[in-house]
Amino acid sequence: MSKTSIRWVIKFGGSLSQSASLATWLKTLAELPSVIVVPGGGLFADAVRTAQNSHGFDDLLAHDLAIRAMALYGRMLIGMEPRLNPALTLTELIPRKQANSPCLWLPDPKDPCLQNLKATWDVTSDTIAAQLALELEIPALLMVKSVDPGREELSLKVAIDQGLVDPALEGIVRKRDLTLWIKGPNPEGLAKALEDPVSSLTRLIA
């Protein structure tokens, strides 16, 4: 039995921080019931990459800082749209079975569900969102991207080769009970898409 009745995890890409539709996206997300939003790293994760390139610290520290960058981006989104309720830990997410508004996870690198992830840039918020969905036994993950993936089903391998999702995602979801979907940068029709994903979203086949 699932740990929660929430049906969707939505990974909201960090690159959308530069989108003219950001405010519309946040309003749309805030009006969805019973979803968990996982922020990307966005400009904050970019700053970690730049700092590592400049100062040469190891991937273990970069991984830690990149997860903290996701939380920073999440705090920015909440500052723009306070109806996105913050959750700091999995124990805060699990009880939200009948939430009337979404909660936004602010991940911590010390969270137990993240301890088995490799400290590498192959692991991004895509894999972290998938790990959260699997931990909470939520059946579907939607990854919102700044590029339109088209409407045809894609193999996960092709999506990785195209740079749509991170390389570590395949190993996390292989032979696991999690359906993967992608949506492009247009927020229109999101609520309907979650009800009927086959006609509105792009499915990734692992």
Side-chain angles (χ1 to χ4, degrees):
M1 180 178 293
S2 175
K3 294 179 181 179
T4 172
S5 62
I6 292 173
R7 294 171 47 217
W8 286 92
V9 169
I10 299 177
K11 179 262 172 155
F12 187 70
S15 57
L16 288 158
S17 64
Q18 309 300 318
S19 170
S21 300
L22 179 58
T24 303
W25 260 113
L26 296 181
K27 180 177 183 294
T28 300
L29 290 170
E31 292 171 354
L32 295 174
S34 299
V35 301
I36 296 173
V37 179
V38 177
L43 64 167
F44 301 103
D46 291 342
V48 174
R49 288 179 185 266
T50 299
Q52 186 185 30
N53 289 336
S54 297
H55 302 293
F57 51 81
D58 63 25
D59 283 347
L60 188 63
L61 177 57
H63 180 71
D64 180 286
L65 294 176
I67 294 174
R68 296 180 191 276
M70 292 171 61
L72 286 175
Y73 181 48
R75 289 178 63 187
M76 184 188 90
L77 299 180
I78 291 167
M80 296 176 65
E81 178 49 84
R83 289 179 295 170
L84 295 170
N85 302 302
L88 299 177
T89 66
L90 263 64
T91 54
E92 292 181 24
L93 292 171
I94 291 171
R96 301 192 183 213
K97 295 183 177 180
Q98 302 298 332
N100 293 319
S101 59
C103 51
L104 189 148
W105 185 40
L106 302 175
D108 186 312
K110 294 184 174 60
D111 197 297
C113 86
L114 302 180
Q115 296 312 298
N116 292 327
L117 297 178
K118 292 181 179 179
T120 167
W121 284 107
D122 284 350
V123 173
T124 73
S125 51
D126 295 334
T127 288
I128 289 171
Q131 182 71 15
L132 176 70
L134 290 168
E135 181 72 19
L136 296 181
E137 300 172 5
I138 295 172
L141 167 63
L142 172 61
M143 292 169 282
V144 179
K145 301 288 182 174
S146 59
V147 295
D148 192 336
R151 285 292 302 114
E152 297 295 326
E153 288 186 345
L154 285 175
S155 76
L156 182 53
K157 184 180 185 306
V158 168
I160 291 170
D161 291 343
Q162 293 179 352
L164 282 173
V165 297
D166 74 49
L169 185 60
E170 186 175 21
I172 290 290
V173 303
R174 186 185 296 119
K175 298 182 180 179
R176 303 293 296 276
D177 190 16
L178 180 64
T179 307
L180 303 175
W181 305 85
I182 293 183
K183 181 174 173 55
N186 184 355
E188 184 178 352
L190 178 60
K192 181 180 178 182
L194 298 184
E195 292 299 322
D196 183 17
V198 173
S199 64
S200 306
L201 303 175
T202 301
R203 184 170 180 180
L204 295 186
I205 307 299

